[in-house]
Amino acid sequence: EQKLEVTARLVKEILGGALQSSGDLSAVCNMPAVGIRHATRLPSVRIEAATNVLTDTLTMLTSPEIKVGRKGTEDGEDDLVSASGSRPDQQRNVHKIRLLAKISRKHLMEIVIPILCNLKTVLEGSHSPLLKQLMQYLGKIFRSYKSEVQEHLANNPILLQELEYDTRQYEKNQKQKARDSILQADVVTDEAAA
């Protein structure tokens, strides 16, 4: 419950606040990447603080620790509870996790995705370096809820294509890392045998 509440507040108050027409967060989002110091009348300390707030928010939202109802936990606990006929309090916990996961998914689709799409447009317009982190978060959501995001972004085909491309690149990099680690393990094993 707390994770869902924290996610909602971060998105609405910070990322949503960045879409407002005034304020430090908005100024940072609308500021061109080049010539940051001269683009606004805000003191550099406030610019840096607002940038850090947005960066930290996107970092927290991307963290696996804030995700509600992880897939492994949901399925694994459900199987264990049904198989062993466990206590009612364990069954309640499983149902609570499922419910919170559904609420979280609905919140992502109805509130978070529209805010992120609008913020992406603003950051693209100013060529902001924050765009990279925003796209990482959008990519994470896309990988977790691909069909729902595709359905929701049907009216934004460019963003959908970008997310699909980023997902393919992510999967390609993950496969390459796995191959590299296997090769590294083989090299270590060969050296130990010699």
Side-chain angles (χ1 to χ4, degrees), residues 1-8 10 59-75 97 100-105 107-109 137 139-146 148:
E1 290 176 52
Q2 291 175 344
K3 291 178 182 181
L4 185 59
E5 185 179 329
V6 167
T7 301
L10 286 172
T59 300
M60 285 188 282
L61 291 170
T62 307
S63 169
E65 299 299 319
I66 202 163
K67 185 175 180 181
V68 176
R70 294 191 190 116
K71 286 183 181 177
T73 305
E74 263 184 66
D75 297 340
I97 290 170
L100 289 173
K102 286 180 182 180
I103 292 169
S104 175
R105 184 176 302 137
H107 176 260
L108 276 171
M109 296 308 130
Y137 182 46
K140 178 183 174 234
I141 293 171
F142 183 73
R143 287 188 300 276
S144 297
Y145 308 107
K146 190 172 186 173
E148 290 97 336

Side-chain angles (χ1 to χ4, degrees), residues 176-190:
Q176 185 63 40
K177 284 180 185 178
R179 276 190 238 129
D180 291 348
S181 66
I182 291 170
L183 291 175
Q184 184 66 23
D186 288 344
V187 170
V188 171
T189 307
D190 291 344

